[in-house]
Amino acid sequence: MKAEERWQARFRAPRATLPVWAVRAPSRSVYRSNASGAWEVYAWDRAGGSTRQVTSRPKGTSHGALDPTGQWIWWFDDTDGDEWGRWMRQPFYGGPDEPIDLDPGFPCGLGLSATGEAVVGMARPGRGFTIHLVRPGEPARTIYEHAEAASVSAVSLDGSLIAISHSEHGDARHPALRVLRRHGQVVGDLYDGPGKAVSGLRFAPLSGDRRLLTLHERRGRREPLVWDPETGDQREIWLRDPGEITADWYGDGRSLLVVRGHRGRTHLSRYDLPGGGFFPIETQHGVIDAAAPRPDGSVEYAWSSGAHPPLIRSTNGHMVMSHGGPTSPPSVPVEDVDVEGPGGRIHALVSRPERGSGPFPTVFLLHGGPTSQDDDSFVPQVAAWVDLGFAVVRVNYRGSTGYGSNWRNALSGDVGHIELADVTAVRDTLVDRGVCDPDRLVLSGASWGGYLTLLGLGTQPKMWAAGIATVPIADHSAAYAEEAEALRSYHRALLGGSPEEQPERYAGSSPITYVDQVEAPLLILAGENDPRCPIGQIEAYVARLAGRGHEHEVYRYDAGHGSLVVSERIAQMSAQLDFARRHVKTDV
């Protein structure tokens, strides 16, 4: 198979998310898959063995859920990927879609109970954030509203308790948790103070059980906590091993599935609540994107590694499901690199071509978020660059998740420049080690990574041979004026206020401030309907490039913050590889 056929085959190979089943009908599951050529919602009747496609939309569908009884599949109906729309529901075995009677908006969480009630979070410009109780046959009722960011975290199985994440204290980066009754009465609040987030995961999967599984940061990392909001009782689940932790309930409510992420890999264990013991669960070396316990006590999980394509497996030892079709070609294993940086030790991941010993042309592929991380999972984009003869370097810069609260919280004040300082430290080390050719370096990334790409090209113009920025922020102030409400809350938390309150910070961290210093050729990819990194502020940046005659290209596509359509993803990857070939000499 030729290199181009190989990398395209990885994008085309059918993939699926971990099936999520109904608590009271565990043979009924929903998942999302790209088998149709776009990511859509599917229903799977495990007992009968039948599978059907629930949604079929030109731009794909990004949200799907199943109610605890297994009767209704919920999905979000937006317009061409703009994330603005309303929830719909459809019977599990098919039938007409029913729109939920709420004004359109941006989705902010969904909670479904076994009683047929739903709790829906929405955000709308000028109206802030609202949480609505939706009952069959009744008008929706607003049970919470606030100008600061809020979303639905969880709903108890019987629908009597509703957990919401909120930032009434003004810091959307570190939310608090509140539990309400159906009519909005406050049952309990959980807030650990400035700089310490509290997140709701899931109520115990038993009727009448008030216990809420949450995450706290009291010891400098995410750890599980079982909280009874009525009595105030709290039980912290402490694990000796390093890394950040999340968890889920086993069906009997007596055990927790503990998921620990450390240095870009995932480890599972079962925690026995009555006895307090941890029991490791053996899985393959790599990354588990999602995991959940089945009623029989087994655990199903979605797994991959940098070298091996995704699979959905069970601890029973069998494959859970397959969509058929051609399998994805494998890629190269990931190497770990640790570098001492200006803010502490930086963990980076390196993927090298199989041929040659370096120095290689290299793409620094920066992740989005910024509260996200790169890991040892299978990424078709990384494999495509390796097939072209590039080494790929991914840096978990300050602000990334997975390395504790202090590392994530270090991103404040001099935003953008902090991350790039870490990228520079890794770049210098890998050049010294002979991995990267300093004259053939490409800076690239999407979303926050696209923002860092533009900022890096303007503030480090001699360092990069070319830049590729996908759906970037080019101007924080201009983006703030157009972006979705949740992103505005995040912007205020990250930069210490609005553009009017912090004009110097917004300007100092904006790529457009440094656009006249850009020297490298630049490719920008932008979504026409992007509510996160609006295209208007990108157009203003491009106009500045054009005004000075700088070499640049723009690839516009008819979707939002990324595309759910396989052919479009291939077209975007092809545009990036072609651009790199024309501006950076390769060895293949």
Side-chain angles (χ1 to χ4, degrees):
M1 186 181 290
K2 295 180 180 179
E4 185 170 2
E5 295 173 337
R6 188 165 57 249
W7 75 254
Q8 291 191 13
R10 297 190 188 98
F11 282 83
R12 291 197 174 97
R15 299 177 64 173
T17 61
L18 183 72
V20 177
W21 53 85
V23 172
R24 290 190 170 172
S27 66
R28 299 183 181 185
S29 300
V30 296
Y31 60 92
R32 292 173 60 246
S33 173
N34 66 346
S36 69
W39 284 90
E40 298 288 3
V41 179
Y42 288 76
W44 177 26
D45 181 353
R46 296 179 182 228
S50 63
T51 300
R52 73 176 183 89
Q53 186 174 331
V54 175
T55 57
S56 181
R57 302 177 342 120
K59 298 297 190 297
T61 306
S62 57
H63 299 291
L66 181 63
D67 82 277
T69 66
Q71 297 183 53
W72 293 96
I73 297 170
W74 288 59
W75 60 276
F76 194 76
D77 183 19
D78 67 351
T79 304
D80 294 337
D82 64 358
E83 303 177 40
W84 175 272
R86 63 179 61 198
W87 286 97
M88 310 284 284
R89 71 174 193 170
Q90 181 184 127
F92 183 82
Y93 287 108
D97 290 311
E98 297 182 5
I100 304 306
D101 187 21
L102 283 172
D103 291 341
F106 294 108
C108 292
L110 173 70
L112 303 174
S113 75
T115 62
E117 297 170 324
V119 182
V120 182
M122 301 293 279
R124 303 175 182 91
R127 296 168 59 184
F129 298 81
T130 53
I131 308 294
H132 309 274
L133 179 67
V134 178
R135 284 177 164 172
E138 298 182 15
R141 186 171 68 250
T142 300
I143 60 173
Y144 176 88
E145 55 186 327
H146 203 276
E148 294 292 343
S151 63
V152 179
S153 293
V155 175
S156 62
L157 192 61
D158 61 11
S160 63
L161 298 176
I162 300 160
I164 63 169
S165 172
H166 71 86
S167 53
E168 292 179 5
H169 52 290
D171 183 2
R173 297 177 70 199
H174 304 96
L177 197 59
R178 177 170 296 162
V179 172
L180 308 173
R181 298 198 191 278
R182 288 185 176 96
H183 294 281
Q185 304 99 320
V186 176
V187 178
D189 282 291
L190 197 58
Y191 175 55
D192 284 344
K196 296 179 179 179
V198 182
S199 307
L201 294 176
R202 185 184 172 203
F203 282 98
L206 304 169
S207 285
D209 199 325
R210 303 184 304 259
R211 293 175 300 163
L212 176 62
L213 183 58
T214 72
L215 295 177
H216 68 88
E217 295 184 279
R218 296 169 183 174
R219 285 183 288 269
R221 66 173 181 174
R222 295 190 310 172
E223 294 178 320
L225 167 74
V226 178
W227 174 44
D228 184 327
E230 289 196 347
T231 65
D233 291 343
Q234 301 179 22
R235 179 171 177 179
E236 297 182 10
I237 312 300
W238 182 76
L239 184 63
R240 183 185 302 274
D241 298 319
E244 299 228 53
I245 305 167
T246 187
D248 194 5
W249 293 99
Y250 276 80
D252 60 4
R254 294 173 56 84
S255 300
L256 300 177
L257 174 65
V258 176
V259 183
R260 180 174 64 92
H262 179 56
R263 291 178 59 80
R265 280 87 181 178
T266 312
H267 310 271
L268 301 182
S269 60
R270 180 176 63 84
Y271 179 75
D272 178 56
L273 284 165
F278 279 97
F279 302 91
I281 299 173
E282 292 298 322
T283 59
Q284 297 80 1
H285 184 74
V287 174
I288 295 171
D289 287 326
R294 285 289 290 168
D296 64 2
S298 65
V299 175
E300 294 182 353
Y301 57 96
W303 172 91
S304 72
S305 72
H308 299 284
L311 298 170
I312 297 179
R313 292 176 164 169
S314 170
T315 53
N316 282 340
H318 63 265
M319 297 285 294
V320 174
M321 61 177 295
S322 172
H323 253 301
T327 58
S328 173
S331 188
V332 299
V334 168
E335 306 169 34
D336 296 275
V337 174
D338 292 289
V339 174
E340 292 300 328
R345 180 169 294 181
I346 308 159
H347 180 218
L349 304 169
V350 178
S351 304
R352 306 191 199 200
E354 293 181 301
R355 295 181 180 179
S357 58
F360 300 101
T362 302
V363 56
F364 278 71
L365 195 59
L366 307 184
H367 69 70
T371 50
S372 180
Q373 66 170 308
D374 283 311
D375 56 27
D376 187 18
S377 59
F378 190 81
V379 182
Q381 292 91 333
V382 171
W385 282 107
V386 172
D387 287 351
L388 188 61
F390 278 74
V392 179
V393 179
R394 293 175 291 160
V395 181
N396 283 324
Y397 48 74
R398 279 170 288 173
S400 301
T401 57
Y403 302 88
S405 304
N406 289 339
W407 189 257
R408 189 194 67 230
N409 291 339
L411 186 56
S412 62
D414 205 17
V415 170
H417 305 282
I418 291 171
E419 305 95 293
L420 289 173
D422 291 345
V423 173
T424 299
V426 174
R427 178 257 187 199
D428 292 346
T429 296
L430 293 179
V431 168
D432 290 343
R433 294 181 184 179
V435 176
C436 305
D437 184 338
D439 296 323
R440 295 187 291 171
L441 299 180
V442 177
L443 186 60
S444 181
S447 191
W448 196 263
Y451 153 63
L452 293 177
T453 296
L454 295 185
L455 187 65
L457 295 182
T459 59
Q460 304 168 338
K462 303 297 183 183
M463 187 179 294
W464 310 104
I468 302 173
T470 303
V471 290
I473 295 174
D475 183 337
H476 284 290
S477 294
Y480 184 92
E482 298 182 65
E483 67 191 357
E485 290 299 300
L487 273 298
R488 288 184 178 181
S489 293
Y490 187 85
H491 249 130
R492 292 193 296 272
L494 189 63
L495 292 171
S498 67
E500 292 75 19
E501 294 167 327
Q502 297 287 352
E504 293 183 0
R505 284 189 179 180
Y506 276 75
S509 293
S510 290
I512 200 165
T513 302
Y514 314 97
V515 65
D516 291 337
Q517 297 168 212
V518 174
E519 297 182 9
L522 172 61
L523 169 64
I524 297 178
L525 299 91
E528 299 278 3
N529 312 309
D530 190 347
R532 298 174 182 263
C533 299
I535 198 166
Q537 46 99 35
I538 296 174
E539 290 173 331
Y541 182 92
V542 170
R544 290 279 299 272
L545 289 176
R548 53 185 282 251
H550 183 77
E551 185 174 6
H552 70 281
E553 299 175 24
V554 179
Y555 180 108
R556 297 172 70 126
Y557 59 92
D558 185 18
H561 197 65
S563 175
L564 301 175
V565 179
V566 173
S567 60
E568 176 57 38
R569 291 187 174 185
I570 291 174
Q572 292 183 25
M573 191 74 243
S574 181
Q576 295 177 60
L577 298 179
D578 289 344
F579 181 82
R581 285 191 192 97
R582 285 185 276 115
H583 295 286
V584 179
K585 185 179 183 301
T586 66
D587 300 324
V588 297

